[in-house]
Amino acid sequence: MARVVVDVMLKPEILDPQGQAVQRALPRLGFEGIRDVRQGKRFELEVEGPVDDAALARIHEMAETFLANTVIEDFTVHVEDRAAS
Amino acid sequence: MARVVVDVMLKPEILDPQGQAVQRALPRLGFEGIRDVRQGKRFELEVEGPVDDAALARIHEMAETFLANTVIEDFTVHVEDRAAS
């Protein structure tokens, strides 16, 4: 079984109040030097069977139609290297 | 300016109702073959100056104390390769 990760982030031109709240809180908590923070979502999908091009195309379609709102969000799909995590 | 990504996911032993809701909705929407879904958060930090070991240690501490609730969540910190994104 393979793990496929879909990262969903607000588009750069869309205001991100969650990220801004984090960014503004950091100096108060003693963390300087962070210019900007964006907060998004990470979906980890455990896929049955091989993750071939067809499976990735299906997951791409799923992300586009269901996991992300492509009017305001961008997403990336990648297969996670288990050894690296 | 470098981008550092902090991924925060619920620990495997913690129930993830958001992920379960997504996983259960997928077959109804025509997407089969997804065994499990976990949903977490992704923070993209734009860091001023070089991202050396000291900066990464600071971001690790920030993630541990502020971005993640380490009682129920695991997190990973990695520098994003701009060329790959």
Side-chain angles (χ1 to χ4, degrees):
Chain A
M1 208 155 59
R3 174 176 295 174
V4 176
V5 175
V6 179
D7 288 319
V8 179
M9 300 299 293
L10 284 170
K11 287 179 193 281
E13 66 270 25
I14 304 287
L15 192 70
D16 177 4
Q18 274 188 309
Q20 281 189 344
V22 171
Q23 195 257 324
R24 285 177 191 161
L26 291 175
R28 289 203 306 271
L29 294 162
F31 298 106
E32 306 283 345
I34 306 294
R35 178 81 56 90
D36 190 28
V37 178
R38 307 281 292 176
Q39 182 175 346
K41 286 173 281 188
R42 176 185 168 91
F43 296 91
E44 293 182 353
L45 312 176
E46 303 294 334
V47 181
E48 289 171 6
V51 181
D52 48 18
D53 286 352
L56 279 178
R58 212 159 41 86
I59 288 166
H60 199 276
E61 187 196 343
M62 185 196 305
E64 193 165 9
T65 55
F66 182 52
L67 299 179
N69 174 355
T70 54
V71 176
I72 59 168
E73 292 171 327
D74 290 326
F75 66 91
T76 60
V77 176
H78 64 274
V79 181
E80 188 167 273
D81 183 358
R82 291 285 178 129
S85 67
Chain B
M1 208 157 57
R3 174 176 292 174
V4 177
V5 175
V6 180
D7 288 318
V8 179
M9 299 299 294
L10 284 170
K11 287 179 192 282
E13 66 269 26
I14 305 288
L15 192 68
D16 176 3
Q18 274 188 309
Q20 282 189 344
V22 172
Q23 194 256 324
R24 285 178 190 160
L26 291 177
R28 288 202 306 270
L29 295 162
F31 298 105
E32 306 285 344
I34 307 294
R35 178 80 57 89
D36 191 28
V37 177
R38 307 282 289 174
Q39 182 174 344
K41 284 174 282 188
R42 174 185 170 92
F43 296 92
E44 292 182 353
L45 312 176
E46 302 295 333
V47 181
E48 288 170 9
V51 181
D52 48 16
D53 285 354
L56 279 178
R58 213 159 39 86
I59 289 167
H60 199 276
E61 188 196 342
M62 184 196 307
E64 191 164 12
T65 56
F66 181 53
L67 299 179
N69 174 355
T70 53
V71 177
I72 58 167
E73 292 171 327
D74 290 327
F75 66 92
T76 60
V77 176
H78 65 273
V79 182
E80 189 168 272
D81 182 358
R82 291 285 178 130
S85 67

